[in-house]
Amino acid sequence: KQGSGSSLVALKGVELPGVRKPSCVRGEPGVLSRAMIERSTFLAVILLAASPAVVAETPTFARDVAPIIHGHCSTCHRPGESGPFDLLTYDDVRKRAGQIVAVTRTGFMPPWLPEPGFGEFADERRLSRKQIDTLEAWADGGTPAGDLDSVPPLPDWADGWQLGEPDLVIRMEEPYVLEADGIEVFRNFVLPIPVSSRKWVSAIELRPGNPQVHHAVMRTDETRSSRIQASLDPEPGFGDMNMGDAVQPDDYLLGWTPGYQPIPPREGFAWALRPNTDLVLQLHLQRSGKVESIQAQVGFYFTDEPPDRHVASVMLRVRGIDIPAGESHHLMTDRYTLPVDVDLVSIYPHAH
């Protein structure tokens, strides 16, 4: 029932949660007086929400979806990169609309491990709720193209090495043949690093060469024991998750996962690479149902400046894993109190 001279709708016989019935209301129950309307601006928002909703316009690829895909997905989903298929054109995205909605709604894609609400991280790759809803609304609305001539141009991505041409590139001596069927494979490949004098490494970049690489860990070995292990194995490299005597160089964490963007050189940071050092590259490989050839390469970027900041690794781990049957969210903790203030430069979460 309308109040006199007011466009607000008064709800007769309806109690609004959290809104106390004012004592100054006179007349019929549930009808707001003009005086009360003037003093209850906040209530107008609640009442107006009861009016018919405006139907949102269906998103289009050209206007709404392409900027999301090109900004967050195409970096990897393009020729020569780690994504198993391209996501560049309208047809690329349209035929995978349902899959895109499923993996973005669950947070599986884009690849970004930290759970929301536990601190802010540099270069966060998480999609916003609005972006996820836009993708879903577009798929549910029939994946309209919109004006394809108005699609923004693709970003100017670097082809090949993301950090530019390396100072040194090393490559697996021979491809590793991953058979079509079987269990997942952990394989350690020993790559000699040909330097004749000490070098300061300011950045490193891995090019896996095949999308079946689930993740990679890189360490160095100055003992040559990794070469002995590899020589005893009939296949290239040696198996097992144990990387032998290989260590984190100067405690730096060196790794790669799909979607990982290599860290560019940072002032004050570098690790020492000495002659007669091998790189031990551990690849976690997943089978695709067909024979795959794996031949990764690693680029090194040098600096003349020695580091003036020290990096130290702290490992937190729980080995006594006992997850109750049917438990979907099982929490295990470890704790260490640092004795001094530090800057956290990287985190490597891992579980099996």
Side-chain angles (χ1 to χ4, degrees), residues 4-50:
S4 174
S6 171
S7 62
L8 299 178
V9 177
L11 305 180
K12 186 173 183 178
V14 176
E15 294 185 4
L16 300 177
V19 178
R20 185 177 57 188
K21 182 176 179 180
S23 58
C24 61
V25 173
R26 298 182 179 86
E28 297 183 39
V31 178
L32 302 179
S33 68
R34 177 179 295 275
M36 188 58 195
I37 291 172
E38 292 174 350
R39 292 196 297 269
S40 302
T41 306
F42 77 94
L43 190 57
V45 178
I46 300 174
L47 296 175
L48 287 175

Side-chain angles (χ1 to χ4, degrees), residues 166-178:
D167 296 304
L168 172 67
V169 176
I170 60 176
R171 182 186 179 104
M172 291 168 51
E173 293 181 351
E174 58 180 310
Y176 176 76
V177 178
L178 180 66

Side-chain angles (χ1 to χ4, degrees), residues 189-205:
F189 302 95
V190 183
L191 286 65
I193 308 176
V195 295
S196 57
S197 61
R198 184 186 65 184
K199 301 289 186 181
W200 295 112
V201 181
S202 60
I204 189 170
E205 181 176 344

Side-chain angles (χ1 to χ4, degrees), residues 79-272:
E81 297 304 319
S82 59
F85 48 81
D86 292 345
L87 289 177
L88 296 172
T89 68
Y90 168 68
D91 287 335
D92 290 341
V93 180
R94 176 190 55 79
K95 65 185 180 182
R96 297 187 182 275
Q99 181 182 4
I100 292 170
V101 169
V103 298
T104 55
R105 187 192 297 124
T106 61
F108 184 73
M109 286 286 164
W112 182 252
L113 293 177
E115 286 288 326
F118 292 89
E120 297 181 1
F121 295 88
D123 304 320
E124 183 172 300
R125 306 190 65 206
R126 196 190 327 273
L127 290 183
S128 68
R129 172 48 56 187
K130 181 179 180 181
Q131 290 171 320
I132 295 171
D133 291 344
T134 296
L135 295 174
E136 187 167 359
W138 177 69
D140 291 344
T143 65
D147 180 10
L148 294 180
D149 291 335
S150 67
V151 174
L154 293 173
D156 186 19
W157 295 299
D159 290 329
W161 299 102
Q162 301 301 296
L163 298 181
E165 192 63 28
D167 296 304
L168 172 67
V169 176
I170 60 176
R171 182 186 179 104
M172 291 168 51
E173 293 181 351
E174 58 180 310
Y176 176 76
V177 178
L178 180 66
E179 298 297 337
D181 301 312
I183 62 174
E184 60 187 0
V185 173
F186 282 86
R187 198 78 186 166
N188 301 286
F189 302 95
V190 183
L191 286 65
I193 308 176
V195 295
S196 57
S197 61
R198 184 186 65 184
K199 301 289 186 181
W200 295 112
V201 181
S202 60
I204 189 170
E205 181 176 344
L206 171 72
R207 303 285 294 170
N210 191 297
Q212 298 315 120
V213 178
H214 177 273
H215 74 265
V217 177
M218 292 171 279
R219 295 181 179 178
T220 56
D221 183 7
E222 299 181 7
T223 71
R224 300 300 179 95
S225 65
S226 298
R227 292 191 182 192
I228 297 174
Q229 285 184 267
S231 68
L232 298 176
D233 197 302
E235 297 184 350
F238 59 94
D240 201 359
M241 292 179 62
N242 188 329
M243 299 179 70
D245 292 326
V247 297
Q248 296 170 192
D250 293 349
D251 253 1
Y252 276 74
L253 290 170
L254 305 178
W256 178 91
T257 57
Y260 172 84
Q261 300 300 305
I263 300 174
R266 294 171 289 179
E267 184 177 354
F269 290 89
W271 52 271

Side-chain angles (χ1 to χ4, degrees), residues 30-85:
V31 178
L32 302 179
S33 68
R34 177 179 295 275
M36 188 58 195
I37 291 172
E38 292 174 350
R39 292 196 297 269
S40 302
T41 306
F42 77 94
L43 190 57
V45 178
I46 300 174
L47 296 175
L48 287 175
S51 60
V54 177
V55 178
E57 185 178 3
T58 300
T60 68
F61 175 81
R63 183 186 64 236
D64 308 289
V65 173
I68 300 173
I69 297 296
H70 294 162
H72 296 272
C73 310
S74 305
T75 307
C76 298
H77 288 273
R78 58 190 176 98
E81 297 304 319
S82 59
F85 48 81

